Amino acid sequence: MSNTDGQKIYDIAGEIFPICRSLSGRGVRETFDILKKYADITVTEVPTGTEVFDWTVPREWEINDAYIENEAGEKIIDFKKCNLHVMGYSAPVDEWVDLDELLTHVYTEPGQPEAIPYITSYYKERYGFCMSENTKNSLKPGKYHMYIDSRLFEGSLSYGEIVIPGESEEEILFTTYVCHPSMANNECSGPATAVYIADYIKRLPKRKYTYRFVFNPETIGSITYISRNLEHLKSHVKAAFNLSCVGDNLDYSIVHSKYGNTFADKALTNILTYHDKFSDYSFLERGSDERQYNAPGVDIPMVTFCRSKFTKFPEYHTSLDNMDFVSPEGFQGTFDVLRKLVNALENNGYYKVNVLCEPQLGKRGLYPSVSRKGQYDTVMMLTSFIAYSDGRNDLFDISNITHIPTEELIEIKDKLVANGLIDINDCAW
């Protein structure tokens, strides 16, 4: 199988991988500048101090440099070589301290001694450094220079949107986040995939639905976006999908909506059912922006799609989540799922056969004139579609009942429509 689309998404992820992102600031805007090469993204700035439901937009964070050096002037860690070396939102510091004091500001991942952990402190001002356990264990008693050139200031939080109009104002929503530094699967995979699938949708000859893509810092960004668009979302969104950790090649996963009974749950679960590896997680194992969209009073029908789910792969939130962990093959699998999902959504409807009893397929060229071995399965797929076209089932229902993938049912549906045998409605008869 060709990985052409997967390679293109991988390359986009590679472009944004080096950038130091956080909840707000220069890194997020630099990321949008790159993503705008691939999609028409509108960026909105929300000022520091803006109240968004129970939260407040925080101060903006900017970092220029950071390191720890020993008395010989040798840099033990260097932010410019790996931006995970600094705790996110660290306050500035410029001090010489002994080893014991230094270690009170150092974070490691003892169970993965070669990995640099990703650590943040967004809502309490402090500073800190991250290094591998191996590096920490190599430090000798002496004096160390802790240096962070950063600032927290009144600025703004950035989020981006793509809106692709369709024949209907009813919307399919995709969200992803742009707030983590250099982690390939946890961060870069979502935005890279989102701009690519948006371009795919934009190039469709026609669109039944309007598609909305939202790029925001996780949690505070989604809360901010929802606070400014809640009524529109509640009245227009038919199904919503959060994209997170979609670049590896180890698994396919869904994190369900709060009750697991929305159209989004049904649609994505159906598509994933026809893949070899598929993990199913309840909302009790949530962790990304599906939390905010499923919150009481918001109640947007959102599920999260991952390859390996966040927290479930050992590379998660460490320097091991690099461009070697994701792959063109992994992105290709993600693209294939989303392409099938979009095509199924676009072709979905409730079907009702418009002749009584079983229709005469032979006179319409839909039934072989000579019966022979090997034709049974093809005929059965067609007649099974007709059997369940009673006005009560949509494309996903018929797929679930017949165990036939939606992409194959679409071909059957098109033949039946062309021969005037079924009528299609947007809701059950």
Side-chain angles (χ1 to χ4, degrees), residues 267-288:
L268 184 56
T269 300
N270 173 271
I271 300 299
L272 291 178
T273 297
Y274 297 98
H275 288 266
D276 293 337
K277 296 173 288 185
F278 165 36
S279 294
D280 191 280
Y281 298 95
S282 82
F283 188 69
L284 296 175
E285 296 184 80
R286 63 198 179 278
S288 188

Side-chain angles (χ1 to χ4, degrees), residues 58-71:
R59 288 184 294 171
E60 191 168 321
W61 183 59
E62 183 178 272
I63 181 166
N64 299 307
D65 196 11
Y67 55 82
I68 298 173
E69 65 179 345
N70 61 20
E71 293 172 281

Side-chain angles (χ1 to χ4, degrees), residues 148-327:
I148 298 176
D149 177 9
S150 67
R151 68 186 184 113
L152 290 160
F153 59 97
E154 303 292 304
S156 61
L157 176 149
S158 313
Y159 67 76
E161 283 181 285
I162 303 169
V163 179
I164 307 171
E167 296 172 356
S168 167
E169 292 185 356
E170 202 167 24
E171 293 185 1
I172 306 298
L173 172 66
F174 288 94
T175 68
T176 191
Y177 46 84
V178 286
C179 57
H180 296 74
S182 298
M183 289 176 286
N185 202 32
N186 183 64
E187 177 62 21
C188 302
S189 68
T193 298
V195 293
Y196 196 83
I197 197 68
D199 182 65
Y200 170 80
I201 291 169
K202 188 175 182 179
R203 289 185 285 106
L204 292 175
K206 64 176 183 177
R207 290 175 294 276
K208 176 180 179 180
Y209 294 109
T210 293
Y211 289 82
R212 182 177 298 270
F213 289 79
V214 176
F215 306 75
N216 55 248
E218 199 172 24
T219 304
I220 185 61
S222 59
I223 291 170
T224 300
Y225 184 81
I226 293 168
S227 75
R228 296 163 71 92
N229 297 278
L230 179 59
E231 293 309 313
H232 178 90
L233 295 171
K234 288 177 75 70
S235 61
H236 288 77
V237 173
K238 180 178 179 65
F241 306 91
N242 181 48
L243 304 179
S244 174
C245 302
V246 289
D248 71 272
N249 195 33
L250 301 178
D251 201 0
Y252 292 95
S253 306
I254 180 173
V255 182
H256 283 282
S257 66
K258 187 161 56 177
Y259 293 106
N261 60 354
T262 73
F263 178 61
D265 292 275
K266 179 170 75 170
L268 184 56
T269 300
N270 173 271
I271 300 299
L272 291 178
T273 297
Y274 297 98
H275 288 266
D276 293 337
K277 296 173 288 185
F278 165 36
S279 294
D280 191 280
Y281 298 95
S282 82
F283 188 69
L284 296 175
E285 296 184 80
R286 63 198 179 278
S288 188
D289 281 345
E290 75 279 353
R291 297 162 20 242
Q292 316 308 330
Y293 283 88
N294 280 277
V298 178
D299 300 315
I300 302 301
M302 174 175 281
V303 300
T304 287
F305 170 50
C306 310
R307 291 298 307 255
S308 293
K309 177 184 171 292
F310 40 82
T311 76
K312 297 296 184 180
F313 54 96
E315 296 82 0
Y316 176 72
H317 274 201
T318 76
S319 58
L320 302 181
D321 183 3
N322 53 39
M323 291 303 295
D324 292 330
F325 179 60
V326 297
S327 67

